Amino acid sequence: MSTIITTHSLTKSYGDRTVVDGLDLRVPEGCVYGFVGPNGAGKSTTMKMLLSLVRPTRGEVRVMGRRMDRSTRRELLGSIGSLIETPPAYAHLTGAENMRLVQRLLRLGDGRVDRAVRTVRLQDHLDKRVRAYSLGMKQRLGIAMALAREPRLLVLDEPANGLDPAGIDEMRHLIKRLADDGITVMVSSHLLDEVDRTATVLGILGGGRLLFQGTRDELFSRSVPDVLIDTSEPERAAAATEPWGGTLDEGTVRVPGLDHPATAEVVARLVDARVDVYGVRREDRSLEDVFMDLTRGRGL
Ligand SMILES: Nc1ncnc2c1ncn2[C@@H]1O[C@H](COP(=O)(O)OP(=O)(O)OP(=O)(O)O)[C@@H](O)[C@H]1O
Ligand SMILES: [Mg+2]
């Protein structure tokens, strides 16, 4: 699979504070890349570096295998559409007038503009002033403005921020439609659940570092759930598992964050100590739990 965006050691410091730290991103062509991390993790700064809006302190950005620098920037950015932070449209103009501005600026044919507007399903609202649009409609217009140039990659920074559940759902469907049309979409969020259903690849950022990059299944397989031990001798089981951090938890024993080999060691220890165990369970975890563990520094 070819990658559309690659970064090597991409780093941004402000003064002596490093806010994006040595990122090696790989965004496969054709995927929806969910770029997730808590507030302040460095998502917007990274996306701005990908778009040459912020200058990296160190490292490089490659788009379709070519290094982005002063001489290639214009051409490479021609294949990237973006929506960063606030919607870009003029509020005192109508949707149609905003689209016309983009059309003139980029010298695009009518067909492209119509297609972009239909993709975001705004064709029936074009005559309204943007001031009267809902936030969701403003976001969709912003995406239409980015789409008009028919980019291969769309970079969307928190497009669902501030939207109600219906707006979030509409945004999800829109991202899926874009991906079905063959556009690679990189979308950021501070909520994993928000991108979970649309993203095919996840990049998880915390404190400026890339904590995980891969598929959802890979993320789950590397997570370390708590193990719960059902026993008629909870005190003895807790004592036997103490080296692994086992504690009493409402009549069962909870051992935090065990991978497969560690779980096997704990079971062997309980057998050795002849503790009466009638059940060993790995706690079901949501993707959000896994994300929380990661970003709180418990690691995978
Ligand atoms: N121009 C700047 N000067 C100094 N510090 C900055 C600047 N821009 C961003 N930062 C800092 O860099 C860190 C990362 O910010 P960034 O906006 O990239 O995070 P984010 O992941 O997009 O967060 P959010 O979810 O809140 O949008 C923050 O601590 C922020 O205060
Ligand atoms: Mg941000």
Side-chain angles (χ1 to χ4, degrees), residues 43-44 85 157-158:
K43 305 178 295 291
S44 298
E85 284 159 6
D157 192 10
E158 305 244 13

Side-chain angles (χ1 to χ4, degrees), residues 84-106:
I84 298 289
E85 284 159 6
T86 44
Y90 290 110
H92 63 285
L93 301 180
T94 65
E97 286 165 343
N98 272 288
M99 289 307 294
R100 217 168 295 136
L101 281 181
V102 172
Q103 184 176 9
R104 250 185 254 147
L105 196 70
L106 299 174

Side-chain angles (χ1 to χ4, degrees), residues 38-45 47-48 85 157-158 161 188:
N39 293 132
K43 305 178 295 291
S44 298
T45 306
M47 286 179 147
K48 286 178 192 161
E85 284 159 6
D157 192 10
E158 305 244 13
N161 223 4
S188 74

Side-chain angles (χ1 to χ4, degrees), residues 135-209:
L135 180 61
M137 287 161 73
K138 284 183 195 157
Q139 293 287 65
R140 275 149 56 205
L141 180 62
I143 292 175
M145 292 165 79
L147 273 179
R149 64 167 75 198
E150 298 193 338
R152 286 175 65 172
L153 169 72
L154 204 55
V155 175
L156 307 176
D157 192 10
E158 305 244 13
N161 223 4
L163 301 189
D164 61 19
I168 292 174
D169 202 47
E170 171 71 34
M171 189 57 68
R172 266 198 207 112
H173 281 105
L174 172 54
I175 290 169
K176 279 202 178 129
R177 284 202 298 278
L178 296 170
D180 289 345
D181 287 346
I183 300 171
T184 308
V185 184
M186 181 176 189
V187 53
S188 74
S189 175
H190 56 278
L191 299 172
L192 188 53
D193 281 347
E194 209 169 82
V195 296
D196 175 29
R197 275 180 272 168
T198 37
T200 44
V201 179
L202 295 167
I204 299 183
L205 200 62
R209 288 171 186 266

